[in-house]
Amino acid sequence: MSVRGTLSRERIVDAAAAVADRDGLASVSMRTVGAELKVQAMSLYHHVSNKEALLNELAEWVFSQIELPEIDAPWREQMVRRAQSARQVLRAHPWGLGMLESRPVPGPALLRHHDRVMGCLMAHGFSAALATHAFSTIDAFVYGFVLTESGLPFAPGEGAEAEFAAEVAPSAEEYPHLARALAELFGAGEYAFENEFGDGLTLILDGLELQLVGGTAS
């Protein structure tokens, strides 16, 4: 079988994701993806029409990696599972942060993802407005948290936070509130930044539950 015959849209998109993982999204082109597959760039055009179409497929690929919520399962549990899955996917593929909502033509994976999230929430009493607020707020939190994680000046875990805090410890005279907060955080036990994800998500879900029970969202 010829090399062209072994190509497929799926293989091409997987290769594009590999290029983005290694060299960043800006490095993705028909030429670099062809090189990743060890074929001429022209061979790709039999499966993907151009670079813009390839980027659309990459956005779809990211959405397809994130776990879809089950409509009939408890909504809080499903929002947590989906948020954790999105965080895991975006940590593994940080270039995806700029892809999820940026493409002008939404594909079926994006539409299916949005439909399931909205379906899960609305099936449990959320109005369209409150479901939209929930979707937007949770995603803004997840995307922002992943972006923050990717830029931390230390590798979270194993006491790295405490070591970093000790290295840059602020003057208690100049910054008394910050110094107090750090002393309480690290004096009470080992603080881990990654736990902020679960704690922050709980705050959001608690607020949504109050809105849902009170029926005050519009």
Side-chain angles (χ1 to χ4, degrees):
M1 183 180 291
S2 68
V3 173
R4 173 183 165 185
T6 65
L7 283 179
S8 66
R9 182 183 297 263
E10 182 180 55
R11 283 194 63 207
I12 291 169
V13 176
D14 285 346
V19 171
D21 284 345
R22 185 177 63 245
D23 302 319
L25 187 63
S27 298
V28 174
S29 67
M30 301 298 268
R31 180 184 61 80
T32 58
V33 174
E36 183 75 13
L37 292 166
K38 297 181 172 55
V39 300
Q40 294 295 317
M42 289 302 296
S43 301
L44 308 185
Y45 288 95
H46 295 284
H47 304 275
V48 181
S49 59
N50 52 43
K51 180 181 176 179
E52 281 303 301
L54 180 58
L55 292 177
N56 287 338
E57 292 288 346
L58 265 183
E60 286 281 280
W61 183 90
V62 176
F63 269 111
S64 71
Q65 307 303 304
I66 300 173
E67 184 176 348
L68 290 171
E70 297 294 333
I71 290 179
D72 296 330
W75 70 269
R76 280 190 67 132
E77 169 193 293
Q78 293 303 300
M79 292 304 105
V80 170
R81 289 178 62 189
R82 174 186 168 271
Q84 290 173 337
S85 176
R87 179 191 177 199
Q88 182 178 14
V89 169
L90 294 171
R91 285 177 69 178
H93 311 288
W95 51 267
L97 276 170
M99 296 290 290
L100 290 179
E101 307 292 349
S102 67
R103 307 311 298 166
V105 181
L110 181 154
L111 294 172
R112 181 167 54 251
H113 189 98
H114 284 59
D115 183 72
R116 287 283 286 275
V117 173
M118 294 294 286
C120 176
L121 293 170
M122 294 174 73
H124 291 85
F126 281 70
S127 66
L130 184 56
T132 300
H133 299 335
F135 200 167
S136 298
T137 303
I138 292 170
D139 276 7
F141 172 73
V142 173
Y143 300 168
F145 196 90
V146 173
L147 188 62
T148 299
E149 282 187 303
S150 69
L152 288 175
F154 55 85
E158 298 184 1
E161 291 91 339
E163 292 179 12
F164 179 76
E167 290 174 4
V168 299
S171 165
E173 292 183 359
E174 292 184 77
Y175 310 102
H177 310 300
L178 182 56
R180 175 189 169 189
L182 291 174
E184 290 184 11
L185 281 173
F186 293 105
E190 186 173 320
Y191 170 80
F193 175 77
E194 66 178 3
N195 292 337
E196 295 292 341
F197 184 80
D199 292 341
L201 189 57
T202 295
L203 288 173
I204 292 171
L205 297 177
D206 285 349
L208 289 169
E209 193 152 34
L210 287 174
Q211 291 279 309
L212 180 63
V213 173
T216 57
S218 60

